[in-house]
């Protein structure tokens, strides 16, 4: 009977069960870290909309809306529109601070929304159009850098912006730039 040759350069790979247990341990750690990171994070969906608050008005308002989809309550501290550039510079227009419009359909700011509740905040005009029109970017490019969000302690919840709304913004920015304005002091 011959004994196997001992070769110090050849690795000893071990049995299959040991390798399987090692891979399973690594996978368990990755899943545990993922679940720990996402467990207490609030889940919400936000969007921008043009809406009419009541039938007796002839005014369409610009409305931020956010629905709490998670299990934890979410505290909302404000809502804003940002112009985010390629070089990570930001111009922020805080709608709720600059235009604190009191209306019965508006949610108060700050507020806490529970699971399934929807936060709504509308402004009667789009005051940020002159703010963004001061940028030197052309209107068709400018709207691609606009981000709207509802602010929470966990960070901003980004609002979905439809293509129709961006098209309306391009038109409004062009109209604002074409109109004569008094010089600023």
């Amino acid at each position: 009977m011959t004994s196997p040759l001992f070769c110090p350069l050849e690795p000893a790979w071990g049995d299959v069960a040991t390798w399987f247990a090692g891979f399973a341990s690594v996978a368990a750690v990755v899943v545990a870290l993922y679940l720990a990171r996402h467990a207490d994070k609030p889940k919400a969906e936000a969007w921008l909309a043009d809406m009419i608050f009541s039938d007796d008005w002839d005014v369409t308002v610009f409305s931020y809306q956010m629905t709490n989809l998670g299990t934890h309550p979410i505290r909302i501290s404000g809502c804003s529109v940002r112009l985010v550039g390629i070089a990570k510079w930001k111009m922020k227009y805080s709608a709720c601070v600059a235009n604190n419009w009191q209306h019965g359909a508006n949610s108060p700011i700050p507020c806490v929304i529970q699971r399934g509740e929807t936060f709504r905040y509308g402004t009667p005009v789009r005051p940020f159009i002159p703010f963004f029109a001061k940028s030197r970017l052309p209107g068709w490019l400018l709207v691609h850098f606009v981000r709207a969000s509802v602010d929470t302690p966990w960070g901003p919840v980004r609002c979905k912006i439809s293509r129709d709304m961006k098209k309306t913004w391009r038109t409004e920015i062009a109209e604002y730039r074409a109109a004569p304005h008094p010089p600023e002091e």
Side-chain angles (χ1 to χ4, degrees):
M1 194 166 138
T2 62
S3 64
L5 291 173
F6 173 73
C7 183
L9 298 176
E10 192 168 315
W13 291 99
D15 59 351
V16 174
T18 305
W19 278 97
F20 181 75
F23 284 128
S25 297
V26 170
V29 168
V30 169
V31 168
L33 291 174
Y34 175 81
L35 292 175
R37 183 171 182 198
H38 295 287
D40 287 339
K41 208 170 190 180
K43 295 172 182 68
E45 182 178 4
W47 63 94
L48 295 175
D50 285 329
M51 63 183 286
I52 299 175
F53 275 127
S54 62
D55 294 334
D56 52 336
W57 282 18
D58 195 20
V59 177
T60 303
V61 297
F62 178 68
S63 176
Y64 296 85
Q65 298 182 32
M66 184 175 95
T67 300
N68 185 354
L69 303 175
T71 57
H72 302 293
I74 298 176
R75 178 178 168 79
I76 296 172
S77 57
C79 48
S80 60
V81 177
R82 292 177 174 87
L83 181 61
V84 182
I86 298 170
K88 300 293 182 192
W89 52 270
K90 294 184 179 182
M91 292 170 40
K92 180 177 178 182
Y93 190 90
S94 182
C96 63
V97 173
N99 193 7
N100 194 2
W101 186 47
Q102 301 298 323
H103 188 274
N106 273 355
S107 300
I109 294 177
C111 75
V112 176
I113 58 172
Q114 302 297 326
R115 180 181 184 169
E117 291 182 342
T118 299
F119 163 82
R120 287 184 183 87
Y121 187 85
T123 58
V125 294
R126 290 187 177 90
F128 58 86
I129 294 294
F131 178 72
F132 290 148
K134 292 177 186 175
S135 171
R136 293 195 170 112
L137 292 174
W140 63 269
L141 182 60
L142 181 68
V143 296
H144 292 290
F145 294 115
V146 173
R147 303 287 183 264
S149 62
V150 176
D151 302 321
T152 69
W154 290 276
V157 177
R158 198 166 153 190
C159 297
K160 295 177 185 173
I161 305 172
S162 70
R163 287 185 179 187
D164 294 336
M165 189 167 285
K166 287 185 177 186
K167 185 177 179 182
T168 304
W169 290 351
R170 279 194 304 267
T171 306
E172 290 180 4
I173 289 171
E175 288 172 358
Y176 181 83
R177 288 178 175 169
H181 301 287
E184 293 183 12
E185 295 178 16

